[in-house]
DNA sequence: GTCTATAACCAGATAGAC
DNA sequence: GTCTATCTGGTTATAGAC
């Protein structure tokens, strides 16, 4: 394992907190995962408490997600949906933390903001504009935007938490969703 | 709070495990929630361990979900999708347990079977039959079935875990999804 | 069946040598 | 910065009176 001890602790914490929830992970586990002697308090030279390291993990993941951000493709619904699935994939660990920790996640507001901004790429106004241009059939734009958003989010969450075999690959899924909206 | 002490312990355990995860809940909390003296070992007159009560909770919820089962409506896609959303609602606590406990949930296989049977009502074969009858346009049936399933599951999960304001009500959501598939 | 009391244990956190 | 050793508090689980 590479990086400073602090970074190795953060890496271990991210992996274990996302997989098992922070309550289920002992500081000892983090020390062991970072190559420190388990049971030594060496962890506390780097973080004040377990809550502190959780906050630092969330912080780092939010920064990373923001840094990874790219602009939504303008080419078509198809490409835009595939792009959104990829974005969700990049936030996989953060989403796992959010779901496992629930309302007690540090920096909860920042994570929610990040996800809301992600969802904004799929908003009803964009659909309304496409409907006005005759690009896609006119329907209840707000409801269709909901369906699109939740189909993409559901695809991601089901895969992550239910181990659901999606059955069809990502491109085919995005294409089917675009086809439903566009015809 | 009504019922026997055992039932009150189960009720408390369900609520708290679903909300915070079993790791975060102490046996003391369960005793308090059931109106027993916290710290007394009275819990252990009813269950052998915390793991034991978690298994009993899952067991009872699976039984309940099976008992609540009704046959899918044949009236139309619209009604069928609304019915599925209601079914997911009835499994809310079980889904929360599954997501919070992850792979260490007792009776995991039974829960997964239950969810898979639920998803089977929305399978590709049904869509293929409707396409063959000309009831809905011909598309990639497997991919469309995926989209439908994940839209419904995503609607439920987003509401449950992100506190997402769905924006449109349940009937409008189901109607929009049916409209996308049917035209 | 529930209580008080307590044993045994483990996790979070600190002190001080190196 | 990491270690050994330890304190402290909370949690699981049991013993025995009522």
């Amino acid at each position: 394992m590479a990086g400073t001890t602090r970074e190795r602790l953060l890496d271990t914490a991210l992996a274990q907190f996302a997989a098992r929830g922070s309550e289920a992970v002992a500081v000892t586990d983090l020390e062991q995962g970072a190559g420190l002697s388990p049971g030594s308090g060496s962890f506390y030279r780097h973080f004040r408490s377990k809550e502190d390291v959780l906050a630092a993990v969330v912080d780092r993941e939010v920064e990373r997600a923001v840094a990874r951000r790219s602009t939504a493709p303008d080419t078509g619904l198809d490409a835009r949906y595939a792009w959104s699935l990829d974005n969700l994939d990049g936030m996989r660990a953060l989403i796992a933390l959010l779901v496992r920790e629930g309302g007690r996640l540090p920096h909860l507001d920042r994570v929610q903001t990040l996800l809301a901004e992600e969802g904004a790429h799929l908003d009803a106004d964009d659909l309304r504009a496409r409907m006005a241009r005759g690009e896609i059939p006119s329907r209840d734009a707000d409801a269709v935007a909901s369906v699109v958003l939740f189909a993409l989010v559901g695809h991601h969450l089901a895969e992550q938490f239910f181990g659901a075999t999606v059955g069809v690959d990502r491109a085919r899924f995005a294409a089917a969703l675009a086809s439903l909206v566009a015809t």
Side-chain angles (χ1 to χ4, degrees), chain A residues 27-28 30-43:
Chain A
V27 169
T28 300
L30 301 181
E31 288 173 334
Q32 192 152 36
L36 296 170
S37 176
S40 73
S42 295
F43 167 88

Side-chain angles (χ1 to χ4, degrees), chain A residues 14-15 17-21 61 85-101 115 151-166 170:
Chain A
L14 174 64
F17 289 171
R20 300 193 284 142
E61 285 308 296
L85 283 176
D86 286 340
N87 270 6
L88 283 172
D89 238 32
M91 296 194 282
R92 179 171 297 270
L94 210 44
I95 290 171
L97 286 175
L98 173 60
V99 170
R100 288 231 196 276
E101 303 297 326
L115 290 172
L152 293 168
V153 170
H155 179 280
H156 178 84
L157 291 175
E159 196 179 46
Q160 181 161 0
F161 291 106
F162 303 155
T165 321
V166 176
R170 175 160 305 202

Side-chain angles (χ1 to χ4, degrees), chain A residues 12-27:
Chain A
T12 305
L14 174 64
Q16 303 215 13
F17 289 171
R20 300 193 284 142
S22 70
E23 296 270 3
V25 178
V27 169

Side-chain angles (χ1 to χ4, degrees), chain A residues 109-120:
Chain A
D109 49 340
R110 293 182 59 196
V111 176
Q112 286 178 330
T113 300
L114 185 69
L115 290 172
E117 285 166 359
E118 186 54 34

Side-chain angles (χ1 to χ4, degrees), chain A residues 55-181:
Chain A
V57 162
V58 172
D59 212 49
R60 193 180 63 161
E61 285 308 296
V62 170
E63 298 299 335
R64 282 180 173 173
V66 169
R68 247 197 315 267
R69 241 185 221 164
S70 59
T71 50
D74 258 352
T75 39
L77 287 177
D78 187 312
R80 174 167 290 208
Y81 295 158
W83 172 84
S84 280
L85 283 176
D86 286 340
N87 270 6
L88 283 172
D89 238 32
M91 296 194 282
R92 179 171 297 270
L94 210 44
I95 290 171
L97 286 175
L98 173 60
V99 170
R100 288 231 196 276
E101 303 297 326
R104 288 172 324 208
L105 189 74
H107 306 310
L108 178 58
D109 49 340
R110 293 182 59 196
V111 176
Q112 286 178 330
T113 300
L114 185 69
L115 290 172
E117 285 166 359
E118 186 54 34
H121 291 296
L122 304 162
D123 70 357
D125 286 339
D126 177 72
L127 289 175
R128 259 187 286 275
R130 290 174 196 266
M131 287 175 188
R133 288 199 299 272
E135 194 180 318
I136 63 176
S138 281
R139 288 197 188 88
D140 182 345
D142 290 304
V144 171
S146 258
V147 168
V148 168
L149 178 62
F150 292 138
L152 293 168
V153 170
H155 179 280
H156 178 84
L157 291 175
E159 196 179 46
Q160 181 161 0
F161 291 106
F162 303 155
T165 321
V166 176
V168 302
D169 66 33
R170 175 160 305 202
R172 213 168 135 200
F173 185 88
L177 183 57
S179 154
L180 286 171
V181 173

